[in-house]
Amino acid sequence: MSKIKPSKGAPHARIMGVGGYRPTRVVPNEVILETIDSSDEWIRSRSGIATRHWASPEETVAAMSIEASGKAIADAGITPEQIDGVIVATVSHFKQTPAVATEIADRIGAGKPAAFDISAGCAGFGYGLTLAKGMVVEGSAEHVLVIGVERLSDLTDLEDRATAFLFGDGAGAVVVGPAKEPMIGPTVWGSEGDKSDTIKQTVPWDVYRDGTAEKFPAITQEGQAVFRWAVFEMAKVAQQALDAAGISSADLDVFIPHQANMRIIDSMVKTLKLPESVMVARDVETTGNTSAASIPLAMERLLATGQAKSGDTALVIGFGAGLVYAATVVTLP
């Protein structure tokens, strides 16, 4: 018989607070059209994007994360010293080591929490949320800060007509803490590595270092293949998350999908047959695709504008490079 004591975590976990940060510079489609042969009408019809935010040199991955984290911690009604874990989901922190989570933890005054980065593309926030829930329930942390942050403008090829208009920058954060009842449902997550080439970095860093790459690495994708996968396969995953939580689409108040593309969002709503009463996040129109940051940013905006309210039941789903995905049902803070 094991001599190890059982963990003394919380019975359940919940999102206690949310915060977001969008860079001050707003970039309209007209700026994108300076480097690609397209039109504002074409960009809007294909993606639903009218503007996006691009970070200044001072708005680093860490700086944006700190701003979003401060708001999330305040919204949760706790102090930075009460943060026991910091998880940062990002693909655009260019320093391989140390993890940017450690810098963020120190600069927000969190003390000595567990701190690490994860790379799960546009599903990164969902992965981080799941890990945070596990830490709280297992008992290794009481309050975990989960951050999704990207500076995708650094990885955008402005001459690539298929992707130049898609990406934006920003940071979103939530605090996950203990709960007496289920407020973060089971996660349905996974990967389809056989499709990894559909969204990828153009060249590895070492190829660029060796001087054999003509351009700085950027994100590229096979748009039609990604669209079909997201619409048909991710609708199935979203339904599985509803089933795992023991609810139907009629029980939902809010739907917060990864803000990849307006057409994908609208198609998923139709495939899932969501009632008209369900509020759907469409933050992509003014924020663009911010990968790991898109779900918490969209969540923060819905709550800040009153389009969603505390206690609402929301389905969140992220999907992207890998190809990876993660979906769960949560109670909004």
Side-chain angles (χ1 to χ4, degrees), residues 91 94 154-164 167 196-208 212-222 321:
V91 299
F94 288 169
D154 292 334
L155 288 168
T156 299
D157 180 355
L158 293 178
E159 297 179 349
D160 180 2
R161 190 172 184 271
T163 61
F167 304 121
S196 60
D197 279 351
T198 56
I199 306 174
K200 63 182 180 180
Q201 185 171 305
T202 49
V203 295
W205 297 111
D206 57 348
V207 172
Y208 181 75
T212 53
E214 295 181 0
K215 290 184 176 181
F216 189 76
I219 297 173
T220 186
Q221 68 175 28
E222 297 176 15

PDB file of all heavy atoms in Angstrom, residues 91 94 154-164 167 196-208 212-222 321:
ATOM      1  N   VAL A  91       3.380  31.468 -28.860  1.00  0.00           N
ATOM      2  CA  VAL A  91       4.322  30.968 -29.861  1.00  0.00           C
ATOM      3  C   VAL A  91       5.238  32.083 -30.340  1.00  0.00           C
ATOM      4  O   VAL A  91       6.051  31.880 -31.235  1.00  0.00           O
ATOM      5  CB  VAL A  91       3.597  30.352 -31.083  1.00  0.00           C
ATOM      6  CG1 VAL A  91       2.748  29.161 -30.661  1.00  0.00           C
ATOM      7  CG2 VAL A  91       2.741  31.388 -31.805  1.00  0.00           C
ATOM      8  N   PHE A  94      10.386  35.052 -28.401  1.00  0.00           N
ATOM      9  CA  PHE A  94      11.530  34.608 -29.181  1.00  0.00           C
ATOM     10  C   PHE A  94      12.724  34.120 -28.360  1.00  0.00           C
ATOM     11  O   PHE A  94      13.683  33.607 -28.915  1.00  0.00           O
ATOM     12  CB  PHE A  94      11.993  35.721 -30.122  1.00  0.00           C
ATOM     13  CG  PHE A  94      11.042  35.957 -31.276  1.00  0.00           C
ATOM     14  CD1 PHE A  94      11.182  37.072 -32.091  1.00  0.00           C
ATOM     15  CD2 PHE A  94      10.018  35.074 -31.552  1.00  0.00           C
ATOM     16  CE1 PHE A  94      10.320  37.297 -33.157  1.00  0.00           C
ATOM     17  CE2 PHE A  94       9.147  35.284 -32.599  1.00  0.00           C
ATOM     18  CZ  PHE A  94       9.299  36.394 -33.415  1.00  0.00           C
ATOM     19  N   ASP A 154       5.184  40.002 -35.452  1.00  0.00           N
ATOM     20  CA  ASP A 154       6.593  39.643 -35.643  1.00  0.00           C
ATOM     21  C   ASP A 154       6.757  38.420 -36.533  1.00  0.00           C
ATOM     22  O   ASP A 154       7.858  38.166 -37.040  1.00  0.00           O
ATOM     23  CB  ASP A 154       7.258  39.355 -34.288  1.00  0.00           C
ATOM     24  CG  ASP A 154       7.388  40.593 -33.425  1.00  0.00           C
ATOM     25  OD1 ASP A 154       7.436  41.709 -33.986  1.00  0.00           O
ATOM     26  OD2 ASP A 154       7.447  40.455 -32.189  1.00  0.00           O
ATOM     27  N   LEU A 155       5.690  37.649 -36.698  1.00  0.00           N
ATOM     28  CA  LEU A 155       5.754  36.414 -37.482  1.00  0.00           C
ATOM     29  C   LEU A 155       4.831  36.473 -38.698  1.00  0.00           C
ATOM     30  O   LEU A 155       4.399  35.455 -39.208  1.00  0.00           O
ATOM     31  CB  LEU A 155       5.366  35.223 -36.609  1.00  0.00           C
ATOM     32  CG  LEU A 155       6.394  34.807 -35.553  1.00  0.00           C
ATOM     33  CD1 LEU A 155       5.787  33.817 -34.572  1.00  0.00           C
ATOM     34  CD2 LEU A 155       7.627  34.218 -36.214  1.00  0.00           C
ATOM     35  N   THR A 156       4.544  37.703 -39.151  1.00  0.00           N
ATOM     36  CA  THR A 156       3.668  37.893 -40.301  1.00  0.00           C
ATOM     37  C   THR A 156       4.469  38.309 -41.528  1.00  0.00           C
ATOM     38  O   THR A 156       5.275  39.241 -41.465  1.00  0.00           O
ATOM     39  CB  THR A 156       2.609  38.976 -40.009  1.00  0.00           C
ATOM     40  OG1 THR A 156       1.803  38.562 -38.907  1.00  0.00           O
ATOM     41  CG2 THR A 156       1.719  39.215 -41.218  1.00  0.00           C
ATOM     42  N   ASP A 157       4.273  37.600 -42.615  1.00  0.00           N
ATOM     43  CA  ASP A 157       4.858  37.978 -43.895  1.00  0.00           C
ATOM     44  C   ASP A 157       3.869  38.918 -44.585  1.00  0.00           C
ATOM     45  O   ASP A 157       2.830  38.479 -45.079  1.00  0.00           O
ATOM     46  CB  ASP A 157       5.110  36.737 -44.758  1.00  0.00           C
ATOM     47  CG  ASP A 157       5.729  37.062 -46.109  1.00  0.00           C
ATOM     48  OD1 ASP A 157       5.877  38.268 -46.431  1.00  0.00           O
ATOM     49  OD2 ASP A 157       6.060  36.123 -46.848  1.00  0.00           O
ATOM     50  N   LEU A 158       4.181  40.198 -44.599  1.00  0.00           N
ATOM     51  CA  LEU A 158       3.261  41.194 -45.136  1.00  0.00           C
ATOM     52  C   LEU A 158       3.107  41.114 -46.652  1.00  0.00           C
ATOM     53  O   LEU A 158       2.287  41.824 -47.236  1.00  0.00           O
ATOM     54  CB  LEU A 158       3.709  42.596 -44.726  1.00  0.00           C
ATOM     55  CG  LEU A 158       3.610  42.888 -43.220  1.00  0.00           C
ATOM     56  CD1 LEU A 158       4.133  44.286 -42.909  1.00  0.00           C
ATOM     57  CD2 LEU A 158       2.170  42.740 -42.747  1.00  0.00           C
ATOM     58  N   GLU A 159       3.879  40.239 -47.302  1.00  0.00           N
ATOM     59  CA  GLU A 159       3.733  40.034 -48.736  1.00  0.00           C
ATOM     60  C   GLU A 159       2.981  38.751 -49.065  1.00  0.00           C
ATOM     61  O   GLU A 159       2.783  38.426 -50.228  1.00  0.00           O
ATOM     62  CB  GLU A 159       5.115  40.026 -49.394  1.00  0.00           C
ATOM     63  CG  GLU A 159       5.853  41.361 -49.262  1.00  0.00           C
ATOM     64  CD  GLU A 159       7.227  41.333 -49.896  1.00  0.00           C
ATOM     65  OE1 GLU A 159       7.689  40.221 -50.255  1.00  0.00           O
ATOM     66  OE2 GLU A 159       7.843  42.407 -50.036  1.00  0.00           O
ATOM     67  N   ASP A 160       2.580  38.018 -48.027  1.00  0.00           N
ATOM     68  CA  ASP A 160       1.831  36.784 -48.220  1.00  0.00           C
ATOM     69  C   ASP A 160       0.340  37.119 -48.261  1.00  0.00           C
ATOM     70  O   ASP A 160      -0.287  37.403 -47.238  1.00  0.00           O
ATOM     71  CB  ASP A 160       2.129  35.806 -47.079  1.00  0.00           C
ATOM     72  CG  ASP A 160       1.364  34.494 -47.220  1.00  0.00           C
ATOM     73  OD1 ASP A 160       0.628  34.320 -48.211  1.00  0.00           O
ATOM     74  OD2 ASP A 160       1.505  33.626 -46.319  1.00  0.00           O
ATOM     75  N   ARG A 161      -0.242  37.073 -49.439  1.00  0.00           N
ATOM     76  CA  ARG A 161      -1.641  37.483 -49.629  1.00  0.00           C
ATOM     77  C   ARG A 161      -2.611  36.629 -48.814  1.00  0.00           C
ATOM     78  O   ARG A 161      -3.699  37.085 -48.441  1.00  0.00           O
ATOM     79  CB  ARG A 161      -1.999  37.400 -51.116  1.00  0.00           C
ATOM     80  CG  ARG A 161      -3.340  38.030 -51.482  1.00  0.00           C
ATOM     81  CD  ARG A 161      -3.514  38.062 -52.992  1.00  0.00           C
ATOM     82  NE  ARG A 161      -4.748  38.739 -53.382  1.00  0.00           N
ATOM     83  CZ  ARG A 161      -5.928  38.127 -53.518  1.00  0.00           C
ATOM     84  NH1 ARG A 161      -6.023  36.828 -53.281  1.00  0.00           N
ATOM     85  NH2 ARG A 161      -6.998  38.811 -53.890  1.00  0.00           N
ATOM     86  N   ALA A 162      -2.213  35.403 -48.476  1.00  0.00           N
ATOM     87  CA  ALA A 162      -3.108  34.498 -47.765  1.00  0.00           C
ATOM     88  C   ALA A 162      -3.158  34.748 -46.263  1.00  0.00           C
ATOM     89  O   ALA A 162      -4.135  34.383 -45.604  1.00  0.00           O
ATOM     90  CB  ALA A 162      -2.688  33.049 -48.014  1.00  0.00           C
ATOM     91  N   THR A 163      -2.115  35.388 -45.711  1.00  0.00           N
ATOM     92  CA  THR A 163      -2.062  35.525 -44.251  1.00  0.00           C
ATOM     93  C   THR A 163      -1.757  36.939 -43.759  1.00  0.00           C
ATOM     94  O   THR A 163      -1.908  37.209 -42.565  1.00  0.00           O
ATOM     95  CB  THR A 163      -0.984  34.596 -43.663  1.00  0.00           C
ATOM     96  OG1 THR A 163       0.306  34.965 -44.198  1.00  0.00           O
ATOM     97  CG2 THR A 163      -1.262  33.130 -43.985  1.00  0.00           C
ATOM     98  N   ALA A 164      -1.330  37.839 -44.628  1.00  0.00           N
ATOM     99  CA  ALA A 164      -0.872  39.168 -44.196  1.00  0.00           C
ATOM    100  C   ALA A 164      -1.915  39.925 -43.389  1.00  0.00           C
ATOM    101  O   ALA A 164      -1.581  40.715 -42.499  1.00  0.00           O
ATOM    102  CB  ALA A 164      -0.453  39.998 -45.408  1.00  0.00           C
ATOM    103  N   PHE A 167      -3.322  38.395 -38.776  1.00  0.00           N
ATOM    104  CA  PHE A 167      -2.803  38.323 -37.416  1.00  0.00           C
ATOM    105  C   PHE A 167      -2.714  39.653 -36.684  1.00  0.00           C
ATOM    106  O   PHE A 167      -2.424  40.698 -37.270  1.00  0.00           O
ATOM    107  CB  PHE A 167      -1.436  37.642 -37.425  1.00  0.00           C
ATOM    108  CG  PHE A 167      -1.453  36.276 -38.046  1.00  0.00           C
ATOM    109  CD1 PHE A 167      -0.669  35.982 -39.152  1.00  0.00           C
ATOM    110  CD2 PHE A 167      -2.269  35.289 -37.528  1.00  0.00           C
ATOM    111  CE1 PHE A 167      -0.691  34.719 -39.730  1.00  0.00           C
ATOM    112  CE2 PHE A 167      -2.303  34.016 -38.094  1.00  0.00           C
ATOM    113  CZ  PHE A 167      -1.509  33.731 -39.197  1.00  0.00           C
ATOM    114  N   SER A 196      -0.043  18.619 -39.684  1.00  0.00           N
ATOM    115  CA  SER A 196       0.782  19.684 -39.108  1.00  0.00           C
ATOM    116  C   SER A 196       1.299  20.678 -40.137  1.00  0.00           C
ATOM    117  O   SER A 196       1.584  21.833 -39.804  1.00  0.00           O
ATOM    118  CB  SER A 196       1.966  19.084 -38.335  1.00  0.00           C
ATOM    119  OG  SER A 196       2.786  18.305 -39.186  1.00  0.00           O
ATOM    120  N   ASP A 197       1.399  20.262 -41.386  1.00  0.00           N
ATOM    121  CA  ASP A 197       1.914  21.171 -42.411  1.00  0.00           C
ATOM    122  C   ASP A 197       0.902  22.214 -42.864  1.00  0.00           C
ATOM    123  O   ASP A 197       1.251  23.133 -43.606  1.00  0.00           O
ATOM    124  CB  ASP A 197       2.389  20.373 -43.636  1.00  0.00           C
ATOM    125  CG  ASP A 197       3.779  19.790 -43.434  1.00  0.00           C
ATOM    126  OD1 ASP A 197       4.427  20.154 -42.432  1.00  0.00           O
ATOM    127  OD2 ASP A 197       4.212  18.963 -44.265  1.00  0.00           O
ATOM    128  N   THR A 198      -0.338  22.103 -42.427  1.00  0.00           N
ATOM    129  CA  THR A 198      -1.345  23.061 -42.900  1.00  0.00           C
ATOM    130  C   THR A 198      -1.191  24.433 -42.237  1.00  0.00           C
ATOM    131  O   THR A 198      -1.606  25.439 -42.807  1.00  0.00           O
ATOM    132  CB  THR A 198      -2.771  22.535 -42.655  1.00  0.00           C
ATOM    133  OG1 THR A 198      -2.932  22.230 -41.267  1.00  0.00           O
ATOM    134  CG2 THR A 198      -3.031  21.291 -43.481  1.00  0.00           C
ATOM    135  N   ILE A 199      -0.636  24.479 -41.028  1.00  0.00           N
ATOM    136  CA  ILE A 199      -0.286  25.744 -40.362  1.00  0.00           C
ATOM    137  C   ILE A 199       1.106  25.563 -39.792  1.00  0.00           C
ATOM    138  O   ILE A 199       1.318  24.686 -38.947  1.00  0.00           O
ATOM    139  CB  ILE A 199      -1.256  26.093 -39.208  1.00  0.00           C
ATOM    140  CG1 ILE A 199      -2.710  26.097 -39.671  1.00  0.00           C
ATOM    141  CG2 ILE A 199      -0.900  27.467 -38.622  1.00  0.00           C
ATOM    142  CD1 ILE A 199      -3.716  26.296 -38.546  1.00  0.00           C
ATOM    143  N   LYS A 200       2.050  26.385 -40.228  1.00  0.00           N
ATOM    144  CA  LYS A 200       3.420  26.160 -39.778  1.00  0.00           C
ATOM    145  C   LYS A 200       4.265  27.409 -39.943  1.00  0.00           C
ATOM    146  O   LYS A 200       3.877  28.373 -40.603  1.00  0.00           O
ATOM    147  CB  LYS A 200       4.048  25.022 -40.580  1.00  0.00           C
ATOM    148  CG  LYS A 200       4.178  25.312 -42.078  1.00  0.00           C
ATOM    149  CD  LYS A 200       4.761  24.127 -42.826  1.00  0.00           C
ATOM    150  CE  LYS A 200       4.880  24.423 -44.325  1.00  0.00           C
ATOM    151  NZ  LYS A 200       5.454  23.265 -45.053  1.00  0.00           N
ATOM    152  N   GLN A 201       5.423  27.373 -39.309  1.00  0.00           N
ATOM    153  CA  GLN A 201       6.437  28.402 -39.508  1.00  0.00           C
ATOM    154  C   GLN A 201       7.147  28.094 -40.810  1.00  0.00           C
ATOM    155  O   GLN A 201       7.472  26.935 -41.083  1.00  0.00           O
ATOM    156  CB  GLN A 201       7.420  28.393 -38.329  1.00  0.00           C
ATOM    157  CG  GLN A 201       8.448  29.510 -38.367  1.00  0.00           C
ATOM    158  CD  GLN A 201       9.248  29.585 -37.072  1.00  0.00           C
ATOM    159  OE1 GLN A 201       8.675  29.696 -36.003  1.00  0.00           O
ATOM    160  NE2 GLN A 201      10.565  29.518 -37.175  1.00  0.00           N
ATOM    161  N   THR A 202       7.404  29.110 -41.602  1.00  0.00           N
ATOM    162  CA  THR A 202       7.942  28.882 -42.946  1.00  0.00           C
ATOM    163  C   THR A 202       9.280  28.136 -42.938  1.00  0.00           C
ATOM    164  O   THR A 202       9.486  27.201 -43.715  1.00  0.00           O
ATOM    165  CB  THR A 202       8.112  30.212 -43.696  1.00  0.00           C
ATOM    166  OG1 THR A 202       8.811  31.148 -42.843  1.00  0.00           O
ATOM    167  CG2 THR A 202       6.759  30.788 -44.072  1.00  0.00           C
ATOM    168  N   VAL A 203      10.211  28.562 -42.072  1.00  0.00           N
ATOM    169  CA  VAL A 203      11.502  27.885 -41.945  1.00  0.00           C
ATOM    170  C   VAL A 203      11.895  27.833 -40.466  1.00  0.00           C
ATOM    171  O   VAL A 203      11.521  28.710 -39.688  1.00  0.00           O
ATOM    172  CB  VAL A 203      12.622  28.602 -42.740  1.00  0.00           C
ATOM    173  CG1 VAL A 203      12.351  28.545 -44.231  1.00  0.00           C
ATOM    174  CG2 VAL A 203      12.791  30.043 -42.277  1.00  0.00           C
ATOM    175  N   PRO A 204      12.647  26.829 -40.043  1.00  0.00           N
ATOM    176  CA  PRO A 204      13.122  26.767 -38.658  1.00  0.00           C
ATOM    177  C   PRO A 204      14.124  27.888 -38.381  1.00  0.00           C
ATOM    178  O   PRO A 204      14.746  28.432 -39.303  1.00  0.00           O
ATOM    179  CB  PRO A 204      13.800  25.391 -38.572  1.00  0.00           C
ATOM    180  CG  PRO A 204      13.288  24.614 -39.736  1.00  0.00           C
ATOM    181  CD  PRO A 204      13.029  25.625 -40.806  1.00  0.00           C
ATOM    182  N   TRP A 205      14.294  28.209 -37.110  1.00  0.00           N
ATOM    183  CA  TRP A 205      15.223  29.270 -36.728  1.00  0.00           C
ATOM    184  C   TRP A 205      16.650  28.958 -37.163  1.00  0.00           C
ATOM    185  O   TRP A 205      17.396  29.860 -37.556  1.00  0.00           O
ATOM    186  CB  TRP A 205      15.186  29.499 -35.212  1.00  0.00           C
ATOM    187  CG  TRP A 205      13.860  29.970 -34.712  1.00  0.00           C
ATOM    188  CD1 TRP A 205      12.983  29.286 -33.932  1.00  0.00           C
ATOM    189  CD2 TRP A 205      13.236  31.231 -34.984  1.00  0.00           C
ATOM    190  NE1 TRP A 205      11.851  30.030 -33.693  1.00  0.00           N
ATOM    191  CE2 TRP A 205      11.977  31.225 -34.322  1.00  0.00           C
ATOM    192  CE3 TRP A 205      13.605  32.355 -35.719  1.00  0.00           C
ATOM    193  CZ2 TRP A 205      11.102  32.311 -34.370  1.00  0.00           C
ATOM    194  CZ3 TRP A 205      12.715  33.440 -35.761  1.00  0.00           C
ATOM    195  CH2 TRP A 205      11.497  33.402 -35.104  1.00  0.00           C
ATOM    196  N   ASP A 206      17.063  27.686 -37.104  1.00  0.00           N
ATOM    197  CA  ASP A 206      18.452  27.372 -37.441  1.00  0.00           C
ATOM    198  C   ASP A 206      18.737  27.566 -38.926  1.00  0.00           C
ATOM    199  O   ASP A 206      19.850  27.921 -39.317  1.00  0.00           O
ATOM    200  CB  ASP A 206      18.831  25.960 -36.996  1.00  0.00           C
ATOM    201  CG  ASP A 206      17.927  24.881 -37.577  1.00  0.00           C
ATOM    202  OD1 ASP A 206      16.869  25.209 -38.152  1.00  0.00           O
ATOM    203  OD2 ASP A 206      18.292  23.699 -37.456  1.00  0.00           O
ATOM    204  N   VAL A 207      17.714  27.368 -39.758  1.00  0.00           N
ATOM    205  CA  VAL A 207      17.891  27.612 -41.195  1.00  0.00           C
ATOM    206  C   VAL A 207      18.091  29.106 -41.444  1.00  0.00           C
ATOM    207  O   VAL A 207      18.942  29.522 -42.242  1.00  0.00           O
ATOM    208  CB  VAL A 207      16.675  27.086 -41.985  1.00  0.00           C
ATOM    209  CG1 VAL A 207      16.759  27.507 -43.452  1.00  0.00           C
ATOM    210  CG2 VAL A 207      16.586  25.576 -41.878  1.00  0.00           C
ATOM    211  N   TYR A 208      17.302  29.910 -40.742  1.00  0.00           N
ATOM    212  CA  TYR A 208      17.466  31.364 -40.868  1.00  0.00           C
ATOM    213  C   TYR A 208      18.827  31.793 -40.333  1.00  0.00           C
ATOM    214  O   TYR A 208      19.507  32.619 -40.939  1.00  0.00           O
ATOM    215  CB  TYR A 208      16.359  32.077 -40.099  1.00  0.00           C
ATOM    216  CG  TYR A 208      16.445  33.593 -40.189  1.00  0.00           C
ATOM    217  CD1 TYR A 208      16.078  34.258 -41.351  1.00  0.00           C
ATOM    218  CD2 TYR A 208      16.916  34.348 -39.125  1.00  0.00           C
ATOM    219  CE1 TYR A 208      16.163  35.636 -41.447  1.00  0.00           C
ATOM    220  CE2 TYR A 208      17.007  35.727 -39.208  1.00  0.00           C
ATOM    221  CZ  TYR A 208      16.630  36.370 -40.362  1.00  0.00           C
ATOM    222  OH  TYR A 208      16.722  37.738 -40.448  1.00  0.00           O
ATOM    223  N   THR A 212      20.541  30.476 -45.003  1.00  0.00           N
ATOM    224  CA  THR A 212      20.005  29.854 -46.218  1.00  0.00           C
ATOM    225  C   THR A 212      18.544  30.236 -46.474  1.00  0.00           C
ATOM    226  O   THR A 212      17.991  29.888 -47.507  1.00  0.00           O
ATOM    227  CB  THR A 212      20.115  28.317 -46.121  1.00  0.00           C
ATOM    228  OG1 THR A 212      19.493  27.885 -44.902  1.00  0.00           O
ATOM    229  CG2 THR A 212      21.573  27.883 -46.117  1.00  0.00           C
ATOM    230  N   ALA A 213      17.937  30.934 -45.542  1.00  0.00           N
ATOM    231  CA  ALA A 213      16.567  31.409 -45.737  1.00  0.00           C
ATOM    232  C   ALA A 213      16.593  32.866 -46.181  1.00  0.00           C
ATOM    233  O   ALA A 213      17.307  33.692 -45.612  1.00  0.00           O
ATOM    234  CB  ALA A 213      15.778  31.275 -44.443  1.00  0.00           C
ATOM    235  N   GLU A 214      15.803  33.187 -47.195  1.00  0.00           N
ATOM    236  CA  GLU A 214      15.793  34.540 -47.729  1.00  0.00           C
ATOM    237  C   GLU A 214      15.032  35.509 -46.828  1.00  0.00           C
ATOM    238  O   GLU A 214      15.360  36.692 -46.754  1.00  0.00           O
ATOM    239  CB  GLU A 214      15.184  34.542 -49.134  1.00  0.00           C
ATOM    240  CG  GLU A 214      16.007  33.776 -50.166  1.00  0.00           C
ATOM    241  CD  GLU A 214      15.381  33.840 -51.542  1.00  0.00           C
ATOM    242  OE1 GLU A 214      14.315  34.490 -51.677  1.00  0.00           O
ATOM    243  OE2 GLU A 214      15.948  33.250 -52.482  1.00  0.00           O
ATOM    244  N   LYS A 215      14.006  35.007 -46.140  1.00  0.00           N
ATOM    245  CA  LYS A 215      13.167  35.857 -45.304  1.00  0.00           C
ATOM    246  C   LYS A 215      13.169  35.389 -43.862  1.00  0.00           C
ATOM    247  O   LYS A 215      13.402  34.214 -43.569  1.00  0.00           O
ATOM    248  CB  LYS A 215      11.714  35.875 -45.820  1.00  0.00           C
ATOM    249  CG  LYS A 215      11.512  36.604 -47.132  1.00  0.00           C
ATOM    250  CD  LYS A 215      10.017  36.636 -47.460  1.00  0.00           C
ATOM    251  CE  LYS A 215       9.732  37.440 -48.724  1.00  0.00           C
ATOM    252  NZ  LYS A 215       8.267  37.490 -49.010  1.00  0.00           N
ATOM    253  N   PHE A 216      12.875  36.332 -42.957  1.00  0.00           N
ATOM    254  CA  PHE A 216      12.689  35.995 -41.548  1.00  0.00           C
ATOM    255  C   PHE A 216      11.519  35.019 -41.438  1.00  0.00           C
ATOM    256  O   PHE A 216      10.546  35.139 -42.176  1.00  0.00           O
ATOM    257  CB  PHE A 216      12.382  37.271 -40.758  1.00  0.00           C
ATOM    258  CG  PHE A 216      12.385  37.099 -39.271  1.00  0.00           C
ATOM    259  CD1 PHE A 216      13.580  36.999 -38.571  1.00  0.00           C
ATOM    260  CD2 PHE A 216      11.195  37.047 -38.563  1.00  0.00           C
ATOM    261  CE1 PHE A 216      13.587  36.848 -37.194  1.00  0.00           C
ATOM    262  CE2 PHE A 216      11.182  36.897 -37.189  1.00  0.00           C
ATOM    263  CZ  PHE A 216      12.383  36.789 -36.499  1.00  0.00           C
ATOM    264  N   PRO A 217      11.577  34.029 -40.548  1.00  0.00           N
ATOM    265  CA  PRO A 217      10.478  33.067 -40.416  1.00  0.00           C
ATOM    266  C   PRO A 217       9.130  33.742 -40.179  1.00  0.00           C
ATOM    267  O   PRO A 217       9.037  34.748 -39.484  1.00  0.00           O
ATOM    268  CB  PRO A 217      10.903  32.238 -39.196  1.00  0.00           C
ATOM    269  CG  PRO A 217      12.400  32.318 -39.204  1.00  0.00           C
ATOM    270  CD  PRO A 217      12.713  33.706 -39.663  1.00  0.00           C
ATOM    271  N   ALA A 218       8.096  33.168 -40.770  1.00  0.00           N
ATOM    272  CA  ALA A 218       6.736  33.690 -40.640  1.00  0.00           C
ATOM    273  C   ALA A 218       5.771  32.524 -40.538  1.00  0.00           C
ATOM    274  O   ALA A 218       6.144  31.369 -40.765  1.00  0.00           O
ATOM    275  CB  ALA A 218       6.382  34.568 -41.841  1.00  0.00           C
ATOM    276  N   ILE A 219       4.536  32.827 -40.181  1.00  0.00           N
ATOM    277  CA  ILE A 219       3.501  31.800 -40.124  1.00  0.00           C
ATOM    278  C   ILE A 219       2.803  31.722 -41.476  1.00  0.00           C
ATOM    279  O   ILE A 219       2.436  32.744 -42.055  1.00  0.00           O
ATOM    280  CB  ILE A 219       2.470  32.115 -39.025  1.00  0.00           C
ATOM    281  CG1 ILE A 219       3.149  32.108 -37.649  1.00  0.00           C
ATOM    282  CG2 ILE A 219       1.325  31.100 -39.045  1.00  0.00           C
ATOM    283  CD1 ILE A 219       2.246  32.561 -36.532  1.00  0.00           C
ATOM    284  N   THR A 220       2.627  30.523 -41.962  1.00  0.00           N
ATOM    285  CA  THR A 220       1.915  30.315 -43.217  1.00  0.00           C
ATOM    286  C   THR A 220       0.872  29.229 -43.016  1.00  0.00           C
ATOM    287  O   THR A 220       0.967  28.434 -42.069  1.00  0.00           O
ATOM    288  CB  THR A 220       2.887  29.909 -44.343  1.00  0.00           C
ATOM    289  OG1 THR A 220       2.183  29.852 -45.583  1.00  0.00           O
ATOM    290  CG2 THR A 220       3.525  28.554 -44.071  1.00  0.00           C
ATOM    291  N   GLN A 221      -0.136  29.199 -43.864  1.00  0.00           N
ATOM    292  CA  GLN A 221      -1.157  28.172 -43.724  1.00  0.00           C
ATOM    293  C   GLN A 221      -1.824  27.880 -45.052  1.00  0.00           C
ATOM    294  O   GLN A 221      -1.789  28.692 -45.980  1.00  0.00           O
ATOM    295  CB  GLN A 221      -2.212  28.590 -42.704  1.00  0.00           C
ATOM    296  CG  GLN A 221      -3.098  29.758 -43.129  1.00  0.00           C
ATOM    297  CD  GLN A 221      -4.193  30.048 -42.115  1.00  0.00           C
ATOM    298  OE1 GLN A 221      -4.052  29.792 -40.930  1.00  0.00           O
ATOM    299  NE2 GLN A 221      -5.312  30.577 -42.586  1.00  0.00           N
ATOM    300  N   GLU A 222      -2.427  26.690 -45.129  1.00  0.00           N
ATOM    301  CA  GLU A 222      -3.243  26.302 -46.275  1.00  0.00           C
ATOM    302  C   GLU A 222      -4.687  26.638 -45.918  1.00  0.00           C
ATOM    303  O   GLU A 222      -5.373  25.862 -45.249  1.00  0.00           O
ATOM    304  CB  GLU A 222      -3.073  24.819 -46.568  1.00  0.00           C
ATOM    305  CG  GLU A 222      -1.647  24.435 -46.964  1.00  0.00           C
ATOM    306  CD  GLU A 222      -1.484  22.933 -47.154  1.00  0.00           C
ATOM    307  OE1 GLU A 222      -2.519  22.239 -47.252  1.00  0.00           O
ATOM    308  OE2 GLU A 222      -0.337  22.467 -47.172  1.00  0.00           O
ATOM    309  N   ALA A 321      -2.461  25.495 -35.054  1.00  0.00           N
ATOM    310  CA  ALA A 321      -1.236  24.826 -35.492  1.00  0.00           C
ATOM    311  C   ALA A 321      -0.960  23.561 -34.695  1.00  0.00           C
ATOM    312  O   ALA A 321      -1.056  23.531 -33.478  1.00  0.00           O
ATOM    313  CB  ALA A 321      -0.059  25.788 -35.396  1.00  0.00           C
TER     314      ALA A 321
END
